[in-house]
Amino acid sequence: MLRALLLGFGQLTDPASRRVVWISVLGAVLSFAALLGLVEWALTSTALTNWSWVDTTIDVLGGVLVVALAWLLFPAVVATLASFLLEEVVRAVERRHYPHLGEPLKSSVAEEVGTALRFLAVVVLVNLVALPLYLTVPGVNLVLYYVINGYLLGREYFELVANRRLRRADATLLRKSRPLKPFLAGVVIAFLSTVPLLNLFAPVIASAFMVHVFQSMNGPLRAAGRA
């Protein structure tokens, strides 16, 4: 698995992978800039009270709040935007390391968008449900975070890669037959997602990493099938 992770980092040298990173980061910057401008316009053009000093205070605090939220949510927005482009990363990895695989199974744009939206929804929903535990169980919350997100991210990234090469039922069967590898890979991805600056590259690294993990699981199975 260490070799797969190193190869995942190495994928950042690929122009297609760098393109996904830059598009995602730039998209997030423009989104937050537009949001900040909209909030600033709404606050400065609306008098909420009859006291100018109160309105000024509200304007300043509102701007600070938006900037703080943008800072906290920036990596998540980058990851969300990247999720719509990760197919390009996976293709680049396969061209570079597995040229013998041929063309993947066909999937529609609707299926790819649905996968990205489901990925986001599952991660957000489960973490919202687990939020009270994150906040109220010191010492356990970090372990809980990595276990929950390790499972979720491992499953979603695995399916992103595996569904291109196997029918969905077969991909699910493969993951459930050898659950430890996708889970541990997911824990690694969850950790990368919490490291400042590195988290901006995490979706690309994770996608490339999971291609190699999947191939290490599916290769022996394919060989056994031929035998």
Side-chain angles (χ1 to χ4, degrees), residues 8-88:
F9 274 92
Q11 196 63 31
L12 292 174
T13 62
D14 183 81
S17 301
R18 291 200 302 269
R19 175 176 172 274
V20 170
V21 172
W22 285 116
I23 289 176
S24 304
V25 172
L26 182 60
V29 169
L30 293 177
S31 299
F32 282 123
L35 176 62
L36 184 60
L38 181 62
V39 171
E40 183 180 2
W41 173 82
L43 290 173
T44 55
S45 63
T46 305
L48 299 177
T49 70
N50 293 323
W51 297 284
S52 60
W53 68 272
V54 174
D55 287 332
T56 300
T57 302
I58 292 174
D59 293 347
V60 172
L61 291 178
V64 170
L65 178 61
V66 171
V67 170
L69 288 175
W71 176 262
L72 291 173
L73 297 176
F74 189 80
V77 174
V78 170
T80 301
L81 294 174
S83 67
F84 292 94
L85 303 169
L86 292 180
E87 171 75 13
E88 187 174 343

Side-chain angles (χ1 to χ4, degrees), residues 82-111:
S83 67
F84 292 94
L85 303 169
L86 292 180
E87 171 75 13
E88 187 174 343
V89 176
V90 175
R91 281 184 175 274
V93 176
E94 290 181 343
R95 283 197 305 268
R96 184 175 183 177
H97 297 280
Y98 307 100
H100 61 281
L101 291 178
E103 285 298 310
L105 300 176
K106 298 294 183 182
S107 61
S108 65
V109 174
E111 287 176 329

